[in-house]
């Protein structure tokens, strides 16, 4: 991930418009991030194909939430990375310091429960997975899907998402 300390006008605080343009699909973000939360944009590629963008929300050095937007890989790719709410929950718990990196998913014992995710105003009930006071849930999005993960205390704020185009991100537009 990349972080810059320069001052920018309010909006999605990332210099990664180029990354969002390369992704070529709308990216899910929080409709209204709580005051003081900053964003970092992460990317996942396979054989040079950008298939996943992670918008991490931070308050200071604390990871508060992640919203991952993915798209399918081309058929020619043999390796098929695919994140699930359970795998993203484990990653979030480890990256936020709620569990040690040596803990294995089967040690987490996630509990399945129903949650509501809103995407562009449309509410959908989906399966959520809870462990260590955090929840993760997935929703189909275009040809791919998105996964939201956050502490239960912030679930209401992170369960309300909108899709943003590359032009909404900070950075230089491609010529």
């Amino acid at each position: 991930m990349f972080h810059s300390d320069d001052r920018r006008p309010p909006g999605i605080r990332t210099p990664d418009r180029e990354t969002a343009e390369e992704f070529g699909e709308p990216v899910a973000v929080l409709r209204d991030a709580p005051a003081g939360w900053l964003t970092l944009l992460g990317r996942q590629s396979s054989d040079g194909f950008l298939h996943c963008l992670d918008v991490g929300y931070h308050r200071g050095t604390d990871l508060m939430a992640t919203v991952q937007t993915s798209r399918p890989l081309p058929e020619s790719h043999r390796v098929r990375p695919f994140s699930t709410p359970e795998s993203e929950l484990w990653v979030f718990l480890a990256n936020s310091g709620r569990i040690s990196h040596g803990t294995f998913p089967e040690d987490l014992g996630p509990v399945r429960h129903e949650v509501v995710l809103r995407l562009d105003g449309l509410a959908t009930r989906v399966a959520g997975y809870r462990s260590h006071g955090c929840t993760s849930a997935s929703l189909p999005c275009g040809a791919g899907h998105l996964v939201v993960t956050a502490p239960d205390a912030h679930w209401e704020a992170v369960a309300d998402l909108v899709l943003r185009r590359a032009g909404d991100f900070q950075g230089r537009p491609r010529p």
Side-chain angles (χ1 to χ4, degrees):
M1 285 195 213
F2 175 88
H3 177 69
S4 174
D5 291 327
D6 61 350
R7 302 288 175 209
R8 292 192 168 84
I12 300 171
R13 296 191 167 278
T14 177
D16 289 313
R17 179 183 287 180
E18 296 85 1
T19 299
E21 287 173 345
E22 179 184 344
F23 189 65
E25 302 284 334
V27 177
V29 299
L30 302 185
R31 178 180 300 279
D32 294 308
W37 285 20
L38 301 175
T39 58
L40 294 175
L41 186 66
R43 57 183 289 149
Q44 297 178 40
S45 298
S46 176
D47 291 335
F49 180 80
L50 179 61
H51 64 86
C52 189
L53 289 183
D54 297 312
V55 181
Y57 291 86
H58 300 261
R59 185 174 57 207
T61 59
D62 296 327
L63 177 61
M64 304 306 295
T66 59
V67 179
Q68 180 184 83
T69 307
S70 67
R71 64 182 178 164
L73 289 170
E75 288 299 318
S76 61
H77 288 238
R78 293 185 314 204
V79 177
R80 297 272 174 212
F82 184 79
S83 57
T84 65
E86 299 96 326
S87 68
E88 289 304 305
L89 177 60
W90 182 78
V91 168
F92 181 83
L93 291 170
N95 288 342
S96 65
R98 289 174 169 83
I99 62 169
S100 70
H101 281 278
T103 304
F104 293 100
E106 58 268 11
D107 298 333
L108 299 177
V111 175
R112 185 177 166 149
H113 63 111
E114 191 173 87
V115 296
V116 173
L117 287 176
R118 288 177 299 284
L119 180 60
D120 288 332
L122 179 63
T124 305
R125 291 194 173 281
V126 296
Y129 297 86
R130 178 182 293 141
S131 184
H132 291 75
C134 296
T135 292
S136 187
S138 177
L139 189 65
C141 182
H145 69 280
L146 58 91
V147 179
V148 180
T149 310
D152 294 339
H154 299 295
W155 190 256
E156 285 303 313
V158 303
D160 192 8
L161 307 165
V162 294
L163 292 175
R164 296 286 186 228
R165 301 236 175 250
D168 295 330
F169 288 81
Q170 299 293 326
R172 294 182 317 269
R174 291 188 180 187

mmCIF file of all heavy atoms in Angstrom, residues 11-12 27-39 54-58 64-69 117-120 146-151 154-164 168-169:
data_model
loop_
_atom_site.group_PDB
_atom_site.id
_atom_site.type_symbol
_atom_site.label_atom_id
_atom_site.label_comp_id
_atom_site.label_asym_id
_atom_site.label_seq_id
_atom_site.Cartn_x
_atom_site.Cartn_y
_atom_site.Cartn_z
ATOM 1 N N GLY A 11 -12.027 14.195 0.035
ATOM 2 C CA GLY A 11 -12.422 13.213 -0.969
ATOM 3 C C GLY A 11 -11.746 11.904 -0.655
ATOM 4 O O GLY A 11 -11.377 11.648 0.480
ATOM 5 N N ILE A 12 -11.601 11.068 -1.616
ATOM 6 C CA ILE A 12 -10.914 9.809 -1.423
ATOM 7 C C ILE A 12 -9.428 10.126 -1.369
ATOM 8 O O ILE A 12 -8.849 10.557 -2.355
ATOM 9 C CB ILE A 12 -11.249 8.820 -2.548
ATOM 10 C CG1 ILE A 12 -12.750 8.555 -2.556
ATOM 11 C CG2 ILE A 12 -10.473 7.528 -2.377
ATOM 12 C CD1 ILE A 12 -13.226 7.778 -3.745
ATOM 13 N N VAL A 27 -15.119 1.102 -8.059
ATOM 14 C CA VAL A 27 -14.537 0.600 -6.821
ATOM 15 C C VAL A 27 -15.481 0.942 -5.668
ATOM 16 O O VAL A 27 -15.946 2.079 -5.554
ATOM 17 C CB VAL A 27 -13.151 1.244 -6.580
ATOM 18 C CG1 VAL A 27 -12.550 0.784 -5.265
ATOM 19 C CG2 VAL A 27 -12.220 0.935 -7.748
ATOM 20 N N ALA A 28 -15.757 -0.027 -4.807
ATOM 21 C CA ALA A 28 -16.633 0.197 -3.656
ATOM 22 C C ALA A 28 -15.870 0.927 -2.555
ATOM 23 O O ALA A 28 -14.730 0.582 -2.244
ATOM 24 C CB ALA A 28 -17.175 -1.130 -3.135
ATOM 25 N N VAL A 29 -16.507 1.954 -2.008
ATOM 26 C CA VAL A 29 -15.967 2.726 -0.889
ATOM 27 C C VAL A 29 -17.113 3.007 0.080
ATOM 28 O O VAL A 29 -18.286 2.850 -0.265
ATOM 29 C CB VAL A 29 -15.319 4.055 -1.340
ATOM 30 C CG1 VAL A 29 -14.142 3.796 -2.280
ATOM 31 C CG2 VAL A 29 -16.334 4.967 -1.999
ATOM 32 N N LEU A 30 -16.766 3.440 1.297
ATOM 33 C CA LEU A 30 -17.792 3.813 2.263
ATOM 34 C C LEU A 30 -18.515 5.064 1.780
ATOM 35 O O LEU A 30 -17.891 5.994 1.287
ATOM 36 C CB LEU A 30 -17.163 4.098 3.631
ATOM 37 C CG LEU A 30 -16.361 2.973 4.277
ATOM 38 C CD1 LEU A 30 -15.931 3.393 5.677
ATOM 39 C CD2 LEU A 30 -17.133 1.668 4.306
ATOM 40 N N ARG A 31 -19.818 5.067 1.925
ATOM 41 C CA ARG A 31 -20.593 6.250 1.541
ATOM 42 C C ARG A 31 -20.129 7.442 2.358
ATOM 43 O O ARG A 31 -19.881 8.512 1.820
ATOM 44 C CB ARG A 31 -22.091 6.018 1.747
ATOM 45 C CG ARG A 31 -22.934 7.247 1.394
ATOM 46 C CD ARG A 31 -24.422 7.026 1.591
ATOM 47 N NE ARG A 31 -24.944 5.942 0.784
ATOM 48 C CZ ARG A 31 -25.287 6.028 -0.511
ATOM 49 N NH1 ARG A 31 -25.140 7.156 -1.154
ATOM 50 N NH2 ARG A 31 -25.768 4.983 -1.146
ATOM 51 N N ASP A 32 -20.019 7.272 3.658
ATOM 52 C CA ASP A 32 -19.593 8.353 4.555
ATOM 53 C C ASP A 32 -18.636 7.780 5.580
ATOM 54 O O ASP A 32 -19.077 7.240 6.600
ATOM 55 C CB ASP A 32 -20.802 8.975 5.275
ATOM 56 C CG ASP A 32 -21.739 9.691 4.331
ATOM 57 O OD1 ASP A 32 -21.256 10.540 3.564
ATOM 58 O OD2 ASP A 32 -22.954 9.377 4.358
ATOM 59 N N ALA A 33 -17.351 7.896 5.328
ATOM 60 C CA ALA A 33 -16.359 7.419 6.297
ATOM 61 C C ALA A 33 -16.426 8.311 7.533
ATOM 62 O O ALA A 33 -16.583 9.529 7.421
ATOM 63 C CB ALA A 33 -14.964 7.453 5.692
ATOM 64 N N PRO A 34 -16.326 7.715 8.725
ATOM 65 C CA PRO A 34 -16.324 8.526 9.944
ATOM 66 C C PRO A 34 -15.191 9.559 9.936
ATOM 67 O O PRO A 34 -14.144 9.349 9.324
ATOM 68 C CB PRO A 34 -16.115 7.479 11.049
ATOM 69 C CG PRO A 34 -16.712 6.218 10.468
ATOM 70 C CD PRO A 34 -16.339 6.287 9.003
ATOM 71 N N ALA A 35 -15.419 10.653 10.607
ATOM 72 C CA ALA A 35 -14.426 11.735 10.697
ATOM 73 C C ALA A 35 -13.112 11.183 11.240
ATOM 74 O O ALA A 35 -13.103 10.371 12.173
ATOM 75 C CB ALA A 35 -14.944 12.850 11.604
ATOM 76 N N GLY A 36 -12.025 11.601 10.612
ATOM 77 C CA GLY A 36 -10.705 11.185 11.067
ATOM 78 C C GLY A 36 -10.181 9.909 10.440
ATOM 79 O O GLY A 36 -9.029 9.544 10.651
ATOM 80 N N TRP A 37 -11.023 9.222 9.658
ATOM 81 C CA TRP A 37 -10.553 8.008 8.990
ATOM 82 C C TRP A 37 -9.900 8.406 7.671
ATOM 83 O O TRP A 37 -10.458 9.163 6.890
ATOM 84 C CB TRP A 37 -11.702 7.066 8.713
ATOM 85 C CG TRP A 37 -12.223 6.328 9.909
ATOM 86 C CD1 TRP A 37 -12.065 6.650 11.222
ATOM 87 C CD2 TRP A 37 -13.021 5.142 9.888
ATOM 88 N NE1 TRP A 37 -12.714 5.755 12.020
ATOM 89 C CE2 TRP A 37 -13.311 4.806 11.224
ATOM 90 C CE3 TRP A 37 -13.530 4.347 8.874
ATOM 91 C CZ2 TRP A 37 -14.080 3.700 11.573
ATOM 92 C CZ3 TRP A 37 -14.294 3.254 9.222
ATOM 93 C CH2 TRP A 37 -14.549 2.918 10.558
ATOM 94 N N LEU A 38 -8.722 7.880 7.431
ATOM 95 C CA LEU A 38 -8.006 8.101 6.177
ATOM 96 C C LEU A 38 -8.015 6.814 5.375
ATOM 97 O O LEU A 38 -8.167 5.725 5.929
ATOM 98 C CB LEU A 38 -6.564 8.535 6.468
ATOM 99 C CG LEU A 38 -6.423 9.810 7.285
ATOM 100 C CD1 LEU A 38 -4.957 10.057 7.610
ATOM 101 C CD2 LEU A 38 -7.019 10.991 6.540
ATOM 102 N N THR A 39 -7.837 6.918 4.066
ATOM 103 C CA THR A 39 -7.843 5.730 3.214
ATOM 104 C C THR A 39 -6.474 5.472 2.614
ATOM 105 O O THR A 39 -5.708 6.390 2.339
ATOM 106 C CB THR A 39 -8.859 5.873 2.056
ATOM 107 O OG1 THR A 39 -8.529 7.022 1.289
ATOM 108 C CG2 THR A 39 -10.274 5.988 2.577
ATOM 109 N N ASP A 54 -8.091 -2.964 -2.692
ATOM 110 C CA ASP A 54 -8.474 -2.909 -1.280
ATOM 111 C C ASP A 54 -8.414 -1.471 -0.821
ATOM 112 O O ASP A 54 -7.366 -0.828 -0.926
ATOM 113 C CB ASP A 54 -7.504 -3.722 -0.412
ATOM 114 C CG ASP A 54 -7.504 -5.192 -0.760
ATOM 115 O OD1 ASP A 54 -8.591 -5.768 -0.879
ATOM 116 O OD2 ASP A 54 -6.411 -5.764 -0.890
ATOM 117 N N VAL A 55 -9.526 -0.948 -0.328
ATOM 118 C CA VAL A 55 -9.526 0.365 0.284
ATOM 119 C C VAL A 55 -9.494 0.129 1.786
ATOM 120 O O VAL A 55 -10.446 -0.403 2.365
ATOM 121 C CB VAL A 55 -10.763 1.203 -0.115
ATOM 122 C CG1 VAL A 55 -10.706 2.583 0.537
ATOM 123 C CG2 VAL A 55 -10.856 1.324 -1.630
ATOM 124 N N GLY A 56 -8.354 0.475 2.398
ATOM 125 C CA GLY A 56 -8.200 0.331 3.841
ATOM 126 C C GLY A 56 -8.499 1.650 4.516
ATOM 127 O O GLY A 56 -8.044 2.707 4.078
ATOM 128 N N TYR A 57 -9.292 1.596 5.560
ATOM 129 C CA TYR A 57 -9.651 2.794 6.322
ATOM 130 C C TYR A 57 -8.902 2.754 7.645
ATOM 131 O O TYR A 57 -8.976 1.764 8.384
ATOM 132 C CB TYR A 57 -11.167 2.850 6.562
ATOM 133 C CG TYR A 57 -11.914 3.098 5.284
ATOM 134 C CD1 TYR A 57 -12.279 2.045 4.445
ATOM 135 C CD2 TYR A 57 -12.217 4.396 4.886
ATOM 136 C CE1 TYR A 57 -12.946 2.283 3.258
ATOM 137 C CE2 TYR A 57 -12.885 4.637 3.695
ATOM 138 C CZ TYR A 57 -13.241 3.577 2.891
ATOM 139 O OH TYR A 57 -13.894 3.819 1.708
ATOM 140 N N HIS A 58 -8.174 3.835 7.934
ATOM 141 C CA HIS A 58 -7.313 3.895 9.104
ATOM 142 C C HIS A 58 -7.631 5.136 9.924
ATOM 143 O O HIS A 58 -7.957 6.185 9.380
ATOM 144 C CB HIS A 58 -5.841 3.972 8.674
ATOM 145 C CG HIS A 58 -5.417 2.795 7.876
ATOM 146 N ND1 HIS A 58 -4.725 1.738 8.421
ATOM 147 C CD2 HIS A 58 -5.592 2.479 6.569
ATOM 148 C CE1 HIS A 58 -4.493 0.837 7.482
ATOM 149 N NE2 HIS A 58 -5.016 1.264 6.343
ATOM 150 N N MET A 64 -9.209 0.315 10.659
ATOM 151 C CA MET A 64 -10.601 0.362 11.096
ATOM 152 C C MET A 64 -11.526 -0.483 10.233
ATOM 153 O O MET A 64 -12.522 -1.001 10.724
ATOM 154 C CB MET A 64 -11.095 1.809 11.101
ATOM 155 C CG MET A 64 -10.244 2.749 11.955
ATOM 156 S SD MET A 64 -10.021 2.196 13.660
ATOM 157 C CE MET A 64 -11.669 2.285 14.280
ATOM 158 N N ALA A 65 -11.231 -0.587 8.934
ATOM 159 C CA ALA A 65 -12.109 -1.339 8.027
ATOM 160 C C ALA A 65 -11.383 -1.550 6.705
ATOM 161 O O ALA A 65 -10.460 -0.805 6.370
ATOM 162 C CB ALA A 65 -13.411 -0.579 7.784
ATOM 163 N N THR A 66 -11.819 -2.556 5.966
ATOM 164 C CA THR A 66 -11.353 -2.740 4.599
ATOM 165 C C THR A 66 -12.564 -3.010 3.706
ATOM 166 O O THR A 66 -13.526 -3.659 4.111
ATOM 167 C CB THR A 66 -10.354 -3.915 4.433
ATOM 168 O OG1 THR A 66 -10.965 -5.123 4.866
ATOM 169 C CG2 THR A 66 -9.081 -3.664 5.217
ATOM 170 N N VAL A 67 -12.485 -2.471 2.498
ATOM 171 C CA VAL A 67 -13.489 -2.743 1.470
ATOM 172 C C VAL A 67 -12.707 -3.221 0.257
ATOM 173 O O VAL A 67 -11.916 -2.480 -0.314
ATOM 174 C CB VAL A 67 -14.329 -1.496 1.124
ATOM 175 C CG1 VAL A 67 -15.337 -1.835 0.031
ATOM 176 C CG2 VAL A 67 -15.029 -0.952 2.362
ATOM 177 N N GLN A 68 -12.916 -4.461 -0.113
ATOM 178 C CA GLN A 68 -12.193 -5.064 -1.231
ATOM 179 C C GLN A 68 -13.142 -5.216 -2.414
ATOM 180 O O GLN A 68 -14.240 -5.749 -2.269
ATOM 181 C CB GLN A 68 -11.658 -6.431 -0.825
ATOM 182 C CG GLN A 68 -10.887 -7.128 -1.912
ATOM 183 C CD GLN A 68 -10.461 -8.513 -1.471
ATOM 184 O OE1 GLN A 68 -11.250 -9.436 -1.575
ATOM 185 N NE2 GLN A 68 -9.247 -8.623 -0.976
ATOM 186 N N THR A 69 -12.718 -4.733 -3.582
ATOM 187 C CA THR A 69 -13.477 -4.900 -4.821
ATOM 188 C C THR A 69 -12.638 -5.760 -5.751
ATOM 189 O O THR A 69 -11.467 -5.472 -5.978
ATOM 190 C CB THR A 69 -13.752 -3.536 -5.487
ATOM 191 O OG1 THR A 69 -14.364 -2.665 -4.548
ATOM 192 C CG2 THR A 69 -14.663 -3.707 -6.701
ATOM 193 N N LEU A 117 -25.838 -5.353 3.878
ATOM 194 C CA LEU A 117 -24.924 -4.466 3.177
ATOM 195 C C LEU A 117 -25.757 -3.617 2.226
ATOM 196 O O LEU A 117 -26.674 -4.124 1.584
ATOM 197 C CB LEU A 117 -23.879 -5.246 2.372
ATOM 198 C CG LEU A 117 -22.779 -5.942 3.153
ATOM 199 C CD1 LEU A 117 -21.893 -6.757 2.209
ATOM 200 C CD2 LEU A 117 -21.942 -4.946 3.930
ATOM 201 N N ARG A 118 -25.441 -2.332 2.148
ATOM 202 C CA ARG A 118 -26.110 -1.431 1.223
ATOM 203 C C ARG A 118 -25.097 -0.993 0.175
ATOM 204 O O ARG A 118 -24.019 -0.512 0.506
ATOM 205 C CB ARG A 118 -26.659 -0.222 1.968
ATOM 206 C CG ARG A 118 -27.865 -0.553 2.846
ATOM 207 C CD ARG A 118 -28.368 0.631 3.648
ATOM 208 N NE ARG A 118 -27.380 1.186 4.583
ATOM 209 C CZ ARG A 118 -27.040 0.618 5.755
ATOM 210 N NH1 ARG A 118 -27.593 -0.513 6.123
ATOM 211 N NH2 ARG A 118 -26.153 1.200 6.537
ATOM 212 N N LEU A 119 -25.455 -1.178 -1.083
ATOM 213 C CA LEU A 119 -24.603 -0.757 -2.181
ATOM 214 C C LEU A 119 -25.407 0.185 -3.058
ATOM 215 O O LEU A 119 -26.447 -0.220 -3.603
ATOM 216 C CB LEU A 119 -24.095 -1.955 -2.987
ATOM 217 C CG LEU A 119 -23.183 -1.635 -4.165
ATOM 218 C CD1 LEU A 119 -21.926 -0.897 -3.695
ATOM 219 C CD2 LEU A 119 -22.815 -2.900 -4.909
ATOM 220 N N ASP A 120 -24.956 1.423 -3.157
ATOM 221 C CA ASP A 120 -25.669 2.453 -3.916
ATOM 222 C C ASP A 120 -27.142 2.527 -3.515
ATOM 223 O O ASP A 120 -28.030 2.648 -4.346
ATOM 224 C CB ASP A 120 -25.524 2.222 -5.423
ATOM 225 C CG ASP A 120 -24.124 2.531 -5.915
ATOM 226 O OD1 ASP A 120 -23.442 3.378 -5.294
ATOM 227 O OD2 ASP A 120 -23.702 1.929 -6.920
ATOM 228 N N LEU A 146 -17.479 -7.854 -3.813
ATOM 229 C CA LEU A 146 -16.797 -7.019 -2.844
ATOM 230 C C LEU A 146 -16.922 -7.672 -1.482
ATOM 231 O O LEU A 146 -17.858 -8.416 -1.212
ATOM 232 C CB LEU A 146 -17.343 -5.583 -2.843
ATOM 233 C CG LEU A 146 -18.814 -5.369 -2.557
ATOM 234 C CD1 LEU A 146 -19.049 -5.158 -1.069
ATOM 235 C CD2 LEU A 146 -19.298 -4.167 -3.318
ATOM 236 N N VAL A 147 -15.915 -7.417 -0.637
ATOM 237 C CA VAL A 147 -15.883 -7.952 0.717
ATOM 238 C C VAL A 147 -15.620 -6.786 1.662
ATOM 239 O O VAL A 147 -14.666 -6.035 1.473
ATOM 240 C CB VAL A 147 -14.796 -9.025 0.896
ATOM 241 C CG1 VAL A 147 -14.783 -9.546 2.334
ATOM 242 C CG2 VAL A 147 -14.978 -10.181 -0.083
ATOM 243 N N VAL A 148 -16.480 -6.646 2.656
ATOM 244 C CA VAL A 148 -16.345 -5.600 3.670
ATOM 245 C C VAL A 148 -15.985 -6.269 4.984
ATOM 246 O O VAL A 148 -16.601 -7.270 5.360
ATOM 247 C CB VAL A 148 -17.668 -4.825 3.843
ATOM 248 C CG1 VAL A 148 -17.536 -3.742 4.892
ATOM 249 C CG2 VAL A 148 -18.136 -4.272 2.532
ATOM 250 N N THR A 149 -14.995 -5.705 5.689
ATOM 251 C CA THR A 149 -14.573 -6.265 6.966
ATOM 252 C C THR A 149 -14.306 -5.126 7.940
ATOM 253 O O THR A 149 -13.640 -4.147 7.580
ATOM 254 C CB THR A 149 -13.292 -7.100 6.799
ATOM 255 O OG1 THR A 149 -13.473 -8.030 5.714
ATOM 256 C CG2 THR A 149 -12.975 -7.879 8.064
ATOM 257 N N ALA A 150 -14.829 -5.252 9.170
ATOM 258 C CA ALA A 150 -14.653 -4.193 10.165
ATOM 259 C C ALA A 150 -15.058 -4.710 11.546
ATOM 260 O O ALA A 150 -15.762 -5.718 11.664
ATOM 261 C CB ALA A 150 -15.510 -2.982 9.816
ATOM 262 N N PRO A 151 -14.644 -3.979 12.579
ATOM 263 C CA PRO A 151 -15.141 -4.302 13.913
ATOM 264 C C PRO A 151 -16.658 -4.116 13.965
ATOM 265 O O PRO A 151 -17.215 -3.233 13.306
ATOM 266 C CB PRO A 151 -14.441 -3.276 14.821
ATOM 267 C CG PRO A 151 -13.233 -2.852 14.061
ATOM 268 C CD PRO A 151 -13.646 -2.909 12.614
ATOM 269 N N HIS A 154 -18.301 -0.696 14.374
ATOM 270 C CA HIS A 154 -18.361 0.228 13.241
ATOM 271 C C HIS A 154 -19.176 -0.327 12.075
ATOM 272 O O HIS A 154 -19.170 0.262 10.990
ATOM 273 C CB HIS A 154 -16.944 0.552 12.748
ATOM 274 C CG HIS A 154 -16.100 1.210 13.780
ATOM 275 N ND1 HIS A 154 -16.378 2.466 14.278
ATOM 276 C CD2 HIS A 154 -14.999 0.777 14.425
ATOM 277 C CE1 HIS A 154 -15.475 2.772 15.176
ATOM 278 N NE2 HIS A 154 -14.633 1.772 15.292
ATOM 279 N N TRP A 155 -19.866 -1.439 12.277
ATOM 280 C CA TRP A 155 -20.533 -2.100 11.154
ATOM 281 C C TRP A 155 -21.537 -1.196 10.452
ATOM 282 O O TRP A 155 -21.608 -1.179 9.220
ATOM 283 C CB TRP A 155 -21.180 -3.412 11.574
ATOM 284 C CG TRP A 155 -21.642 -4.161 10.368
ATOM 285 C CD1 TRP A 155 -22.923 -4.289 9.904
ATOM 286 C CD2 TRP A 155 -20.806 -4.822 9.409
ATOM 287 N NE1 TRP A 155 -22.942 -4.998 8.727
ATOM 288 C CE2 TRP A 155 -21.643 -5.342 8.406
ATOM 289 C CE3 TRP A 155 -19.437 -5.034 9.301
ATOM 290 C CZ2 TRP A 155 -21.171 -6.055 7.311
ATOM 291 C CZ3 TRP A 155 -18.962 -5.744 8.214
ATOM 292 C CH2 TRP A 155 -19.819 -6.248 7.241
ATOM 293 N N GLU A 156 -22.333 -0.452 11.183
ATOM 294 C CA GLU A 156 -23.334 0.408 10.537
ATOM 295 C C GLU A 156 -22.688 1.386 9.566
ATOM 296 O O GLU A 156 -23.197 1.616 8.479
ATOM 297 C CB GLU A 156 -24.170 1.145 11.582
ATOM 298 C CG GLU A 156 -25.190 0.258 12.261
ATOM 299 C CD GLU A 156 -26.153 -0.418 11.290
ATOM 300 O OE1 GLU A 156 -26.692 0.248 10.388
ATOM 301 O OE2 GLU A 156 -26.359 -1.640 11.434
ATOM 302 N N ALA A 157 -21.564 1.955 9.935
ATOM 303 C CA ALA A 157 -20.886 2.926 9.065
ATOM 304 C C ALA A 157 -20.280 2.260 7.841
ATOM 305 O O ALA A 157 -20.294 2.831 6.752
ATOM 306 C CB ALA A 157 -19.787 3.659 9.842
ATOM 307 N N VAL A 158 -19.755 1.049 7.989
ATOM 308 C CA VAL A 158 -19.063 0.408 6.869
ATOM 309 C C VAL A 158 -19.987 -0.405 5.982
ATOM 310 O O VAL A 158 -19.599 -0.794 4.887
ATOM 311 C CB VAL A 158 -17.878 -0.476 7.343
ATOM 312 C CG1 VAL A 158 -16.896 0.332 8.154
ATOM 313 C CG2 VAL A 158 -18.350 -1.696 8.103
ATOM 314 N N ALA A 159 -21.203 -0.642 6.423
ATOM 315 C CA ALA A 159 -22.138 -1.448 5.630
ATOM 316 C C ALA A 159 -22.876 -0.623 4.584
ATOM 317 O O ALA A 159 -23.681 -1.164 3.835
ATOM 318 C CB ALA A 159 -23.137 -2.142 6.550
ATOM 319 N N ASP A 160 -22.579 0.681 4.509
ATOM 320 C CA ASP A 160 -23.232 1.559 3.539
ATOM 321 C C ASP A 160 -22.180 1.984 2.508
ATOM 322 O O ASP A 160 -21.319 2.812 2.791
ATOM 323 C CB ASP A 160 -23.818 2.774 4.253
ATOM 324 C CG ASP A 160 -24.750 3.584 3.366
ATOM 325 O OD1 ASP A 160 -25.066 3.142 2.235
ATOM 326 O OD2 ASP A 160 -25.157 4.679 3.805
ATOM 327 N N LEU A 161 -22.248 1.379 1.323
ATOM 328 C CA LEU A 161 -21.215 1.543 0.293
ATOM 329 C C LEU A 161 -21.749 2.219 -0.957
ATOM 330 O O LEU A 161 -22.950 2.156 -1.243
ATOM 331 C CB LEU A 161 -20.665 0.164 -0.089
ATOM 332 C CG LEU A 161 -20.171 -0.702 1.068
ATOM 333 C CD1 LEU A 161 -20.005 -2.141 0.624
ATOM 334 C CD2 LEU A 161 -18.876 -0.150 1.602
ATOM 335 N N VAL A 162 -20.839 2.832 -1.679
ATOM 336 C CA VAL A 162 -21.151 3.384 -2.994
ATOM 337 C C VAL A 162 -20.034 2.968 -3.945
ATOM 338 O O VAL A 162 -18.918 2.666 -3.516
ATOM 339 C CB VAL A 162 -21.284 4.923 -2.983
ATOM 340 C CG1 VAL A 162 -22.482 5.353 -2.168
ATOM 341 C CG2 VAL A 162 -20.022 5.581 -2.495
ATOM 342 N N LEU A 163 -20.355 2.933 -5.228
ATOM 343 C CA LEU A 163 -19.341 2.643 -6.239
ATOM 344 C C LEU A 163 -18.792 3.962 -6.773
ATOM 345 O O LEU A 163 -19.550 4.883 -7.073
ATOM 346 C CB LEU A 163 -19.939 1.824 -7.381
ATOM 347 C CG LEU A 163 -20.355 0.410 -7.009
ATOM 348 C CD1 LEU A 163 -21.055 -0.266 -8.184
ATOM 349 C CD2 LEU A 163 -19.163 -0.413 -6.554
ATOM 350 N N ARG A 164 -17.466 4.030 -6.878
ATOM 351 C CA ARG A 164 -16.807 5.229 -7.393
ATOM 352 C C ARG A 164 -16.002 4.871 -8.625
ATOM 353 O O ARG A 164 -15.401 3.806 -8.703
ATOM 354 C CB ARG A 164 -15.861 5.825 -6.338
ATOM 355 C CG ARG A 164 -16.551 6.312 -5.100
ATOM 356 C CD ARG A 164 -17.285 7.603 -5.372
ATOM 357 N NE ARG A 164 -17.822 8.139 -4.131
ATOM 358 C CZ ARG A 164 -19.056 8.555 -3.995
ATOM 359 N NH1 ARG A 164 -19.887 8.519 -5.004
ATOM 360 N NH2 ARG A 164 -19.467 9.029 -2.855
ATOM 361 N N ASP A 168 -12.915 9.776 -9.403
ATOM 362 C CA ASP A 168 -13.191 10.224 -8.049
ATOM 363 C C ASP A 168 -11.967 10.122 -7.140
ATOM 364 O O ASP A 168 -11.977 10.643 -6.037
ATOM 365 C CB ASP A 168 -14.320 9.401 -7.430
ATOM 366 C CG ASP A 168 -15.641 9.626 -8.152
ATOM 367 O OD1 ASP A 168 -15.845 10.725 -8.688
ATOM 368 O OD2 ASP A 168 -16.454 8.685 -8.184
ATOM 369 N N PHE A 169 -10.946 9.417 -7.593
ATOM 370 C CA PHE A 169 -9.734 9.235 -6.802
ATOM 371 C C PHE A 169 -8.754 10.362 -7.078
ATOM 372 O O PHE A 169 -8.726 10.918 -8.173
ATOM 373 C CB PHE A 169 -9.081 7.886 -7.124
ATOM 374 C CG PHE A 169 -9.859 6.715 -6.581
ATOM 375 C CD1 PHE A 169 -10.955 6.214 -7.248
ATOM 376 C CD2 PHE A 169 -9.472 6.115 -5.398
ATOM 377 C CE1 PHE A 169 -11.669 5.149 -6.760
ATOM 378 C CE2 PHE A 169 -10.180 5.040 -4.890
ATOM 379 C CZ PHE A 169 -11.285 4.556 -5.564
#
